[in-house]
Amino acid sequence: MADRRGRLYRYGDIFDHRATDSLFLGAVRDNVRFHQKYNPAYRRMLKAEGFSTNSLERIEDLHRIPPIPTAFFKRHTLWTMDPGCLAVRATSSGTGGLVSRIGLEWAALARGAAMAAGLGKARGLFSPVPANYIVLGYEPHRENQTAISKTQRASLLYAPPLQVKYALKRGAGGYRPDFPGVKRALERYAGQKVPVRLVGFPAYLYFLLLELKREGLRFRFPAGSMVLLGGGWKQFYREQPEKEAVYRLLKEVLGIGEESCREFYGAVEHPSMYCDCGRHHFHVPVYSRVIIRDVDTLRPLGFGRPGLVNLITPIADSMPLVSVMTDDLGILYPGESCGCGNQAPYFEILGRAGLSEIRTCAAGAAQILEGG
C-alpha cells in the first residue's frame, strides 16, 4: 500500500487520470482493506452495506464504496489508529454548532505535503521572492485547532513572508475583524517594493474591498502580488456575490487582476486540496476522485447533472476518510469543456444541500456504529 500511494503522490503530472487510474484504484482498495481490518466500526458499516473490496475492479466502481457523510463526523470519531500517536489534529469551523474532529498520521501528513507542493507548482503559487501578507483569517492561538486556520498559515509557505497581518483578531469575546489594522498594513505595504499576498476567506476579502471602496481608498502593489482564497462563505452565504463582481472590485481597489487570483476547495473530513485553474474551475488531481450523487437515491450521476459531492482519497490510515459525502451540491464536467487545456474532470460548487437527507444518512451510519 505504501509503495502504491507513494508512487501516486509522487506522480509528475498531477492531472493525468488516464495514466494513474489503476494506481489510484489499487491505493483506494488497499486503504479500504486497511480500515476494514483494523477498525471494527467501519467494518460493520461496510458489512451492513454489503460491500466487498472485490467489487472494486475498475475505476468506475469507486461509487460502490459506501460514503460516510461529513455530518456523521460531527457526532462521532472513527479512529483506526491510536489518536495519541497522530502527527496533527484538527477540527472543522463549527459554524453550525458542531465540529468534526480528525487527525492524520505522519505518513499522511507527508503525502499531504507532497500534494500541496504538486498543486503549488502546477498553479504557479511558488515564488522565491519574499512577500507581505494579509491573512483574511484567524490570528494564531493555541485554542484554535480548526483545519482552515492551519491551511491558511500553511499558504505562507508558497512565498517567504516578510510581514504578516491577520484580519481576525482574538479577544475576550472570540474573533473579531480588525479592518482598521488591515488598512494600516495595506498602506504600509503599498510603500514597499515587494509583492503582497492576500490569503483567506473570500467573504472577508469582499467585505474589505467594499469598505475600502466606500472610503475612497485605492492601493497598487508590485508585480507578483496574488490572492489565495479558501474556506467558503459559511455563515455569509446570503451576501455571496458572483465571482466576477469580486474580481472587478479586486482590480479596481487593489489593482490585482483576476489572473492573479486562485481559490481552494476542501473539507476537514477530506484532507485533499483542489485549486482552480485560470478559468476558475476545480480540476480533480490524481490524488482524489469526485462523484456526484443523486440527492434522493445517492446513485452516481454523470457529467452535467447536479447532486451531492462525494470525495474519494486514499491519503489517511488514521481514520476512514477514504470516501466522504459532503453537504455541498455540485456538478462534474469533462475536462475538455473547460478550455484551459487541462483534461482532468472539474467540478463546480452550487451551494449547500438541505440537511435533512444528510442527517438521515448520517443517522443510519450512527445506528450501524452503535450496533443497531
Side-chain angles (χ1 to χ4, degrees):
M1 175 165 54
D3 179 62
R4 243 194 292 250
R5 283 191 297 194
R7 284 186 286 140
L8 180 67
Y9 281 85
R10 291 193 304 268
Y11 197 80
D13 185 347
I14 69 165
F15 293 108
D16 191 348
H17 282 217
R18 185 171 299 179
T20 59
D21 274 348
S22 177
L23 194 60
F24 183 84
L25 181 64
V28 166
R29 190 190 298 117
D30 291 342
N31 192 230
V32 173
R33 285 173 176 166
F34 178 85
H35 293 294
Q36 189 175 29
K37 181 178 181 179
Y38 295 107
N39 191 319
Y42 187 62
R43 184 163 60 246
R44 287 199 299 271
M45 288 181 180
L46 297 184
K47 183 178 181 181
E49 294 295 327
F51 172 79
S52 168
T53 53
N54 294 330
S55 65
L56 299 178
E57 298 178 350
R58 303 177 304 151
I59 198 71
E60 292 81 9
D61 295 328
L62 288 172
H63 72 90
R64 300 181 186 277
I65 305 171
I68 301 178
T70 53
F72 176 84
F73 290 99
K74 297 185 186 303
R75 295 185 180 274
H76 305 273
T77 52
L78 283 176
W79 301 116
T80 302
M81 298 176 66
D82 180 356
C85 299
L86 300 181
V88 65
R89 303 275 290 273
T91 68
S92 58
S93 57
T95 51
L98 296 172
V99 299
S100 298
R101 291 176 172 83
I102 68 106
L104 298 177
E105 74 277 13
W106 286 104
L109 197 62
R111 287 188 281 272
M115 173 180 56
L119 272 175
K121 181 179 179 181
R123 295 300 188 220
L125 305 183
F126 281 109
S127 173
V129 179
N132 288 323
Y133 282 85
I134 299 289
V135 178
L136 297 158
Y138 304 111
E139 180 182 40
H141 190 276
R142 64 181 181 277
E143 293 182 7
N144 186 344
Q145 295 300 313
T146 57
I148 187 62
S149 67
K150 296 176 186 292
T151 56
Q152 286 172 348
R153 292 199 298 275
S155 297
L156 274 60
L157 299 175
Y158 284 125
L162 285 179
Q163 301 177 70
V164 182
K165 171 61 184 177
Y166 289 88
L168 299 181
K169 301 281 288 183
R170 186 179 177 90
Y175 283 97
R176 293 288 184 272
D178 178 24
F179 280 179
V182 170
K183 293 174 199 173
R184 289 192 296 271
L186 287 172
E187 291 172 353
R188 188 168 63 252
Y189 295 170
Q192 302 175 20
K193 296 182 179 181
V194 296
V196 167
R197 291 196 172 197
L198 290 91
V199 174
F201 294 112
Y204 286 106
L205 172 67
Y206 181 58
F207 299 149
L208 173 65
L209 293 174
L210 286 178
E211 188 163 322
L212 293 174
K213 182 177 180 178
R214 187 165 52 247
E215 296 179 4
L217 296 174
R218 301 289 188 275
F219 298 100
R220 294 296 179 267
F221 302 105
S225 295
M226 296 188 73
V227 174
L228 307 178
L229 302 175
W233 287 74
K234 307 284 183 200
Q235 70 268 36
F236 301 114
Y237 69 93
R238 288 187 178 88
E239 290 87 356
Q240 182 175 356
E242 294 293 327
K243 287 185 180 180
E244 291 72 16
V246 179
Y247 299 144
R248 287 195 298 270
L249 200 55
L250 180 65
K251 181 68 173 178
E252 177 185 352
V253 176
L254 297 183
I256 300 176
E258 177 182 343
E259 70 281 357
S260 299
C261 189
R262 288 289 175 267
E263 185 174 1
F264 292 89
Y265 172 81
V268 65
E269 303 88 355
H270 174 76
S272 282
M273 296 170 60
Y274 304 86
C275 182
D276 64 357
C277 66
R279 293 178 178 263
H280 304 295
H281 293 146
F282 294 113
H283 291 269
V284 182
V286 299
Y287 327 111
S288 58
R289 296 296 187 273
V290 174
I291 296 171
I292 304 298
R293 294 182 179 268
D294 184 272
V295 174
D296 296 315
T297 66
L298 300 187
R299 66 181 179 86
L301 302 173
F303 290 127
R305 301 181 63 185
L308 290 168
V309 178
N310 177 195
L311 304 170
I312 298 176
T313 182
I315 193 172
D317 289 340
S318 54
M319 56 198 312
L321 305 175
V322 59
S323 180
V324 300
M325 189 168 63
T326 72
D327 54 4
D328 288 327
L329 286 172
I331 303 180
L332 192 67
Y333 297 97
E336 56 268 21
S337 66
C338 172
C340 74
N342 191 327
Q343 298 301 302
Y346 68 90
F347 61 95
E348 175 186 357
I349 298 299
L350 303 176
R352 290 291 177 94
L355 289 182
S356 59
E357 296 89 351
I358 305 296
R359 286 173 178 153
T360 299
C361 190
Q367 187 178 32
I368 295 168
L369 176 65
E370 294 159 4

